[in-house]
Each structure stands twice: as structure tokens, then as C-alpha cells.
Amino acid sequence: MRLLTFARDGESRFGIEVAGGVLDVHAADPKLPASLHAYLFDAQRLYAALAARAAAPPAAYVVPASSVRYLPPIAAPQKIVCIGLNYRDHAAEVNLPLPTEVTAFAKYANSLIGQGADIVIPRESDKVDYEAELAFVIGKRGRHIPEGRAYEYIAGYTIVNDVSVRDYQMRTSQWMLGKVFDTHAPCGPVIVTTDEIPDPQTLAIGTSIDGQVLQDSNTSQLVFTVPRLVAELSSIMTLEPGDIVATGTPAGVGTSRTPKRWMRPGERVKVEIEKIGALENPVVAAS
């Protein structure tokens, strides 16, 4: 299934992409949760009922795709964890050895925007970069999860553009300040459940700006696989439903190009991942 959050009548709604548009889940069946995040806390019990609704959606509750405004699938996750230097081709382009330990940092909910929302170039810097990332979303609470059981704890996969303000990122050895500007975590447009993506390490991934391809790689380039990341992170902290883990970016980022290639107001940035789709956002200057 392709799960999402969308805006309707001034409210955020839990939806599923179906033939003809988006099913408004709670309107179609009030026994199902009104939010995608709430669903994840009870997904094991509710999955069959949700799948049945998706298979035979009541036409009265299907919203035409053209009228849907996508929101971030999870509006306020407890955690947004990002993994650094996790693609072999990216490590090669920056002339760094492959890491032997997982490098992680955090983003926050203030950065989250959905499909079609504006990425804002801040007043403080114009060195704003794109990073295509496969993200997984936790669907079951867990701690000390072994690699062999990692997929049991994943609800599905989505796209994150880890927008990075490079001069702020490189001010110190701690990257956080360059990663948490408002609007700098486009996410979505959907969460694709794990039954549709049994192996997340085989997916084409890339970024284009106004049709120019800048990143073109495959998740087979991951240094630390999705199960390894689940095991590593859950050894440190309890993973909760709705937590988002962005798994790193491949080669082709703007800061590694000659000349450097920053995002500019007026452009449209598209991140695409096989089997998930495309996450596209316009770039604007801060007002």
C-alpha cells in the first residue's frame, strides 16, 4: 500500500493512493485512525482492515488526485535520524575511506515539508545543497533489535531530501546547524509498505533540478544496510512508530561538483526512488 497524509478542508487526513485518487481512510471507515501516525501505533491489528479498504475503496470517499495537497507523511515524528557518508560512490567522490562505524545526526520536525511545498533559501546563506535519500519509517516499537528481525519493525519506505546549508554544516565537526533550517527536510510523497519493497537495497535513486540529472545511483551502494542501521540505532535508543531514518545520499551532491552546484530560487528539485516515486519541490528565496 501507498500511505500518505494530505490536506482537506483545512485538516490533515490519512490517505491511501488508490485507482482514481486518494482514499480518505477515516471518512471511509471511522473505525480506522484519522492519522497515519496513529495508524502506525496499531498497524499490526489494523493492517488487514486497511488493506481491505484499499482493495475496494468506496467511491464516495476517493478524492481526485488533482485536488490532493500532500503533507509530510508523518507530521511530528519523535525522531528524524540521518546517516552520513553511507554510499560507496559518495565516499569516493569526497576522497574519504569507507566508514567502519555509523555516522548519525538529527533533523527536527520544523524542517519537514511535503510534496510541492517550498524549499526556502535562507537569508543567512546561499550555499544550499540537495541530498536524495531513501528513508525507512518505523512501524513497531523496539530496542536491541537484531539485524535478522529488522524488517519486522519497519512500516515502509519514503523519500527524504536532506537539504543542507553547507557553510553552516562545516563550521564545526558537528553538522547539525547546517541540517535543521526550516523547510530543509522535504519528505514523501508516500510511505510504501514493506510488502511492496521486500529488498530496499536494490533501488535506483537520483536527483534532478529542472530536468538536469545530478545524482544517479542505486541503494546497492549503501555501506550500512537498512537492517544494520535498525540494529545499530536500536542498540542506543528505543525506536518508536513514526520515527524516520534517512539512510544517506549517493554521489553527485552540489558541494562535490566543480563548480559547486547550489540550489537557486526559481528552480524545481526532484528526488526519485524506484518503487516509491518522485518528491518534487520548488525553491524560493526567504521573504
Side-chain angles (χ1 to χ4, degrees), residues 8-89:
R8 186 182 190 189
D9 298 329
E11 297 181 351
S12 65
R13 312 288 292 180
F14 175 21
I16 306 176
E17 286 187 349
V18 296
V22 171
L23 176 66
D24 188 332
V25 170
H26 186 65
D29 186 347
K31 294 179 182 178
L32 290 169
S35 79
L36 172 49
H37 201 171
Y39 163 75
L40 293 180
F41 279 91
D42 204 11
Q44 288 182 299
R45 183 177 69 86
L46 296 174
Y47 183 88
L50 187 65
R53 284 292 177 192
Y61 301 106
V62 175
V63 181
S66 59
S67 66
V68 169
R69 180 166 66 88
Y70 287 78
L71 300 175
I74 307 296
Q78 186 187 88
K79 295 182 278 296
I80 306 171
V81 181
C82 301
I83 308 301
L85 202 66
N86 198 29
Y87 274 74
R88 293 177 178 86
D89 56 3

Side-chain angles (χ1 to χ4, degrees), residues 98-207:
L98 293 180
T100 57
E101 301 292 339
V102 173
T103 298
F105 58 91
K107 280 184 177 275
Y108 302 104
N110 67 292
S111 299
L112 286 171
I113 57 172
Q115 164 85 345
D118 293 341
I119 297 170
V120 178
I121 305 299
R123 298 174 184 174
E124 291 75 14
S125 174
D126 61 359
K127 296 176 175 61
V128 182
D129 209 345
Y130 51 86
E131 291 192 13
E133 306 214 6
L134 171 72
F136 60 85
V137 181
I138 297 297
K140 178 182 174 182
R141 190 173 193 266
R143 181 83 196 275
H144 299 299
I145 302 165
E147 287 189 45
R149 296 187 59 195
Y151 292 125
E152 297 175 28
Y153 292 81
I154 295 174
Y157 303 95
T158 190
I159 302 170
V160 166
N161 184 351
D162 176 20
V163 176
S164 303
V165 182
R166 294 300 190 192
D167 49 349
Y168 273 71
Q169 178 185 349
M170 298 306 175
R171 281 181 171 183
T172 73
S173 61
Q174 305 299 311
W175 296 349
M176 187 194 75
L177 290 180
K179 297 287 190 174
V180 295
F181 278 71
D182 291 348
T183 76
H184 285 191
C187 182
V190 297
I191 296 172
V192 179
T193 52
T194 54
D195 56 315
E196 295 196 18
I197 303 178
D199 184 359
Q201 277 81 218
T202 61
L203 306 174
I205 179 172
T207 299

Side-chain angles (χ1 to χ4, degrees), residues 259-279:
K260 296 183 185 299
R261 203 322 180 174
W262 310 125
M263 295 189 294
R264 299 299 185 198
E267 297 178 330
R268 294 187 69 86
V269 181
K270 181 189 288 186
V271 177
E272 297 181 84
I273 299 180
E274 183 181 358
K275 297 186 179 180
I276 300 176
L279 173 66

